[in-house]
């Protein structure tokens, strides 16, 4: 159980899996579902965090990290997947390993209709671009799924996306101040 000021245990499991898997860089557009991993990376002297202006920059950043001898992961929300489609062709052409963690919108209890079109097509868009998709919906399994995705990406050379279900993140509420 968590309070509004604590991060859920599954978010800590994500960062722990990234760290144990040798991730040295994360690239991200700020997102509440990735907040713990972002803060933990910022506090970790062995990890470099890079905030992006658009998710597609992250595809180039993590590819460059690999060419430079480091493992990197791209953290984004499902709406950002649509921004990356053209850059995903770089991964296929160059056969770079690739790991992205995608927090989902447009599914479970979505209140914002603008999130639905991309959220409902995120998995298909990734698969169309040759990226294997695994989904994490059970908080108890998130760390293992991310760890397995790391092995697929950096040991087997795959391009893989972990979709972090909107039900993990919980219902979002539109609040006015």
């Amino acid at each position: 159980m968590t309070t509004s000021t604590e991060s859920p245990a599954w978010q800590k499991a994500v960062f722990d899996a990234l760290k144990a898997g040798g991730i040295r860089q994360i690239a991200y557009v700020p997102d509440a579902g990735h907040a713990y991993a972002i803060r933990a990376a910022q506090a970790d002297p062995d990890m470099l965090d890079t905030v992006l202006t658009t998710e597609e920059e992250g595809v180039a950043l993590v590819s460059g990290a690999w060419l430079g001898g480091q493992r990197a992961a791209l953290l984004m929300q499902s709406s950002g997947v649509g921004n990356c489609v053209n850059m995903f062709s770089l991964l296929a052409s160059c056969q770079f390993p690739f790991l992205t963690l995608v927090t989902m919108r447009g599914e479970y209890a979505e209140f914002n209709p603008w999130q639905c079109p991309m959220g409902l097509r995120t998995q298909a868009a990734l698969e169309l671009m040759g990226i294997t998709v695994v989904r994490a919906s059970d908080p108890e399994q998130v760390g293992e799924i991310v760890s397995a995705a790391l092995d697929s990406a950096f040991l087997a050379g795959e391009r893989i996306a972990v979709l972090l279900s909107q039900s993990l993140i919980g219902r979002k509420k539109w609040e006015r101040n």
Side-chain angles (χ1 to χ4, degrees):
M1 193 67 172
T2 63
T3 66
S4 62
T5 58
E6 294 178 339
S7 297
W10 68 265
Q11 288 190 3
K12 182 177 184 315
V14 166
F15 181 77
D16 291 346
L18 293 173
K19 184 81 175 168
I23 295 294
R24 299 284 313 278
Q25 297 185 41
I26 63 164
Y28 61 93
V29 173
D31 176 68
H34 294 299
Y36 182 88
I38 292 167
R39 286 192 310 268
Q42 290 170 337
D44 190 323
D46 296 327
M47 197 172 282
L48 177 64
D49 71 290
T50 302
V51 65
L52 307 167
T53 56
T54 179
E55 294 81 357
E56 64 190 284
E57 296 170 345
V59 177
L61 188 142
V62 300
S63 297
W66 178 253
L67 289 173
Q70 292 189 348
R71 293 180 177 187
L74 173 58
L75 312 181
M76 64 177 149
Q77 191 181 72
S78 55
S79 58
V81 170
N83 297 337
C84 297
V85 171
N86 189 46
M87 286 300 289
F88 288 153
S89 64
L90 170 78
L91 303 171
S93 295
C94 298
Q95 296 295 303
F96 290 139
F98 177 71
L99 174 66
T100 186
L101 306 181
V102 181
T103 53
M104 292 302 298
R105 292 290 308 262
E107 49 181 30
Y108 173 79
E110 180 61 63
F111 70 90
N112 183 347
W114 291 94
Q115 293 287 347
C116 294
M118 190 65 224
L120 295 173
R121 290 161 185 85
T122 296
Q123 181 168 345
L126 289 161
E127 291 172 341
L128 182 65
M129 295 310 295
I131 297 171
T132 300
V133 174
V134 294
R135 180 176 282 270
S137 299
D138 180 346
E140 299 298 319
Q141 296 180 348
V142 171
E144 172 56 26
I145 290 170
V146 172
S147 178
L150 275 152
D151 287 349
S152 294
F154 297 108
L155 299 179
E158 296 292 322
R159 287 153 298 285
I160 189 155
V162 177
L163 304 186
L164 300 166
S165 171
Q166 193 167 351
S167 63
L168 281 173
I169 299 159
R171 290 178 178 250
K172 293 191 179 226
K173 295 180 181 175
W174 189 263
E175 296 178 2
R176 295 178 186 226
N177 293 332

